[in-house]
Amino acid sequence: MPGVFQLALAEVAEEAQQACDLGLQAVLLFGIPNEKDDQAKSAYADNGIVQQAIRAIKARCPELVVITDVCLCEYMSHGHCGVTRVDGEHFHVLNDESVALLTKTALSHAAAGADLVAPSDMMDGRIGAIREALDANGFDQTGIMSYAAKFASVFYGPFREAAESPPQFGDRRSYQMDSANAREALREAALDLEEGADILLVKPALPYLDILWQVRERFGKPTAVYHVSGEFAMVKAGAERGYFDERAAVLEIMTSLKRGGADLIVTYWAKELAEWTRP
Ligand code: PBG
Ligand code: ZN
């Protein structure tokens, strides 16, 4: 994606410092491991890339809120968000086996110093399992930002390339939500809250503003929205072709996300926005 880069471990503390200096309050970490396998072992390794990045950032900028993506797709050889079983032409994602590995991953992030863990896998029951494990291990102060309503979307394309995690077979429709189904999104959000989510996240952003608004209005909880890679790429491409001004477009989009109910916005323009909106 234009202007978006994978960082080496040695660069991450400096990047965090820049974020802090710009007045940003939080970062969201995604990891790309050296080794991928079918149990996602690098996702919950003590010296995994994200675990090391958390320690490096907290050592340099202790006040920066560190949120970590909790998922298995970047660490799985097959690129799915959970443990899979293939029978002939069909494959299944095994929910409970996946939740067990996601829980280990979340715990290892908390142990490394993450302030919030953000499960993005969409397995059932993972918020409750993670909350319970965190509490049982002395991490009752570690929060959970749940991807409560994550739709199966074409707009994740550029991210999958950047994160080297496209599924090697099949798609994610068995665990991500159908974009036609608003009520299911609200049910998922209600379940995640019951299971102990602190922040509910809706993703993608602009095509799902109605969901964002309903989640914020119905539950009255801190609500986040993720303006995803494909949404970013559309604006970049349009601006590059001279159809509109990038900065004006981004400010209009971000304003609409706030108007639509977002307390938090996850965006690839965070650093630019901090500069553009500096008082
Ligand atoms: C996977 C994950 C995805 C994104 C974040 N985590 C995409 C997917 O489901 O393939 C998308 C982020 C973006 O597009 O910016 N757990
Ligand atoms: Zn995933």
Side-chain angles (χ1 to χ4, degrees), residues 45-48 50-60 108 111-113:
D46 255 352
N47 264 340
V50 167
Q51 292 79 355
Q52 295 190 66
I54 299 166
R55 291 189 204 105
I57 293 171
K58 282 293 179 185
R60 178 82 166 264
S108 75

Side-chain angles (χ1 to χ4, degrees), residues 61-89:
C61 320
E63 70 286 12
L64 186 66
V65 173
V66 174
I67 313 176
T68 55
D69 184 70
V70 173
C71 201
L72 305 175
C73 49
E74 284 119 72
Y75 306 88
M76 286 289 196
S77 39
H78 48 62
H80 278 288
C81 301
V83 178
T84 59
R85 192 178 61 215
V86 181
D87 305 327
E89 283 176 20

Side-chain angles (χ1 to χ4, degrees), residues 242-265:
Y243 289 138
F244 45 70
D245 174 62
E246 177 177 343
R247 173 178 163 158
V250 174
L251 288 171
E252 184 171 332
I253 290 168
M254 297 300 149
T255 303
S256 73
L257 299 181
K258 290 300 290 179
R259 195 189 64 234
D263 300 298
L264 283 85
I265 299 174

